[in-house]
Amino acid sequence: QVHLEESGGGAVQTGGSLTLSCSASGRGGVLSLDWMAWFRQAPGKEREFVAATAWGNRWLDYGEGMKDRFFLSKDEAKNTAHLQMTNLLPGDTAKYYCAVATSVLEYSQYRDSENYDSWGQGIQVTVSA
């Protein structure tokens, strides 16, 4: 079981920036990650893919409309990832969740939240007009 701790959410105005961080830890310090991702969910809407990175290589991908505003970085030695969000819009208001997959995913699978086996509690991001 992987424990995920998220930080960095909050409230900003349109055009503002926030950086979310996700730190993963495992029992006894043993951790084997395959993918780390961010998803978000706004009230009344389905969970949406935000960004993901493959552990052990440089693969990064972003959800639709986010590539030019969101930037995902990671420190694999520390089992952490950071999602820098810039030029935030009211439509970005949601609860953001960090998730990891400890089993191998194909590149066709990482955008599907059903393939992630550990989740953080979520952190709120609110963007006002």
Side-chain angles (χ1 to χ4, degrees):
Q1 185 70 24
V2 177
H3 174 72
L4 299 174
E5 187 167 342
E6 301 134 327
S7 62
V12 296
Q13 293 184 327
T14 296
S17 301
L18 284 172
T19 298
L20 305 182
S21 296
C22 179
S23 178
S25 59
R27 183 175 297 178
V30 178
L31 205 60
S32 177
L33 306 180
D34 193 57
W35 287 85
M36 182 177 279
W38 287 94
F39 292 84
R40 69 185 184 185
Q41 190 165 20
K45 294 188 177 181
E46 293 186 353
R47 189 165 291 185
E48 180 182 20
F49 171 74
V50 175
T53 181
W55 229 243
N57 64 49
R58 296 182 179 181
W59 182 267
L60 293 171
D61 196 18
Y62 299 90
E64 186 174 352
M66 302 174 200
K67 187 174 183 179
D68 295 329
R69 300 187 297 122
F70 292 4
F71 305 95
L72 183 62
S73 62
K74 61 183 175 179
D75 184 339
E76 293 193 7
K78 296 181 179 180
N79 293 313
T80 59
H82 307 284
L83 181 68
Q84 182 184 9
M85 305 185 293
T86 65
N87 193 21
L88 284 162
L89 305 170
D92 295 316
T93 295
K95 198 165 189 179
Y96 285 69
Y97 296 87
C98 177
V100 298
T102 56
S103 56
V104 174
L105 298 182
E106 299 295 331
Y107 285 98
S108 60
Q109 296 176 308
Y110 65 83
R111 286 175 170 248
D112 186 347
S113 63
E114 295 294 325
N115 293 316
Y116 290 81
D117 43 51
S118 295
W119 291 80
Q121 292 188 331
I123 192 163
Q124 181 66 35
V125 171
T126 302
V127 185
S128 58

